[in-house]
Amino acid sequence: MLSSEPHIINLPKILDERGNLSFIEEENHIPFKIERTYWIYDVPGGESRGGHAYSTLQEFIVALSGSFDVVLHDGIKEYRFQLNRSYYGLYIPKMMWRSLENFSTNSLALILADQHFNEGDYIRDFETFKKLKDEK
Ligand code: TYD
């Protein structure tokens, strides 16, 4: 799978009667080195997160608990992924408009990113995003 396309990555799953275990190794299960981890939680019903793209940042999102939808747009087409298990996640390349929607009660989104936080990498206007995509 080209890493310029968003795609689901299945993670190792160690089944155990005592409780299951999954894990992520940078540059092994995901195609980048992890520079930052953040998580989204306590999302009130009906709220959505995101609504922007990143110029250069790549991310990997896992629903550690509960479920939510990740809606992506590459400037031409929309992709929609429902994340609802902790043993797989969604790889999102740079230059993808994204929003996270339909959070279930008590859902927990874990996000791994390949860069430190940098507001300068955000594109927060969809028309600007589409123009930048057209120039590529
Ligand atoms: P933002 O990325 O817009 O949230 P989301 O896309 O998940 O809805 O970030 C919201 C605020 O949090 C914004 O003021 C920037 C800040 N922030 C950090 O300081 N560090 C981080 O790692 C992230 C992701 C956000």
Side-chain angles (χ1 to χ4, degrees):
M1 178 70 73
L2 274 177
S3 55
S4 58
E5 287 266 324
H7 59 274
I8 294 291
I9 296 177
N10 289 310
L11 298 168
K13 187 176 171 192
I14 315 291
L15 297 177
D16 193 310
E17 287 171 1
R18 300 168 302 160
N20 300 333
L21 181 154
S22 288
F23 59 97
I24 301 169
E25 292 173 355
E26 59 184 4
E27 293 185 306
N28 186 3
H29 307 107
I30 55 170
F32 58 81
K33 282 189 85 66
I34 301 162
E35 288 290 338
R36 176 165 51 106
T37 302
Y38 63 96
W39 46 100
I40 294 173
Y41 54 99
D42 291 347
V43 179
E47 283 294 344
S48 63
R49 300 287 317 209
H52 54 73
Y54 300 111
S55 301
T56 62
L57 187 87
Q58 310 170 68
E59 287 189 330
F60 183 70
I61 305 183
V62 184
L64 281 188
S65 175
S67 68
F68 51 86
D69 297 337
V70 183
V71 185
L72 303 175
H73 205 288
D74 65 6
I76 298 169
K77 64 176 184 289
E78 186 181 277
Y79 306 76
R80 184 176 282 266
F81 297 89
Q82 190 190 43
L83 301 185
N84 57 13
R85 291 284 183 269
S86 58
Y87 51 80
Y88 68 84
L90 176 64
Y91 169 76
I92 308 180
K94 65 180 181 174
M95 286 301 280
M96 278 280 160
W97 191 267
R98 90 274 315 281
S99 55
L100 276 60
E101 305 175 352
N102 294 328
F103 287 89
S104 68
T105 306
N106 287 332
S107 52
L108 172 59
L110 175 74
I111 298 124
L112 310 179
D114 74 339
Q115 294 172 35
H116 288 186
F117 175 72
N118 172 15
E119 183 62 43
D121 199 54
Y122 281 70
I123 305 165
R124 293 193 181 272
D125 175 68
F126 189 65
E127 290 309 312
T128 307
F129 167 71
K130 277 211 299 203
K131 277 197 196 108
L132 286 166
K133 279 294 228 188
D134 288 346
E135 285 164 16
K136 296 212 162 168

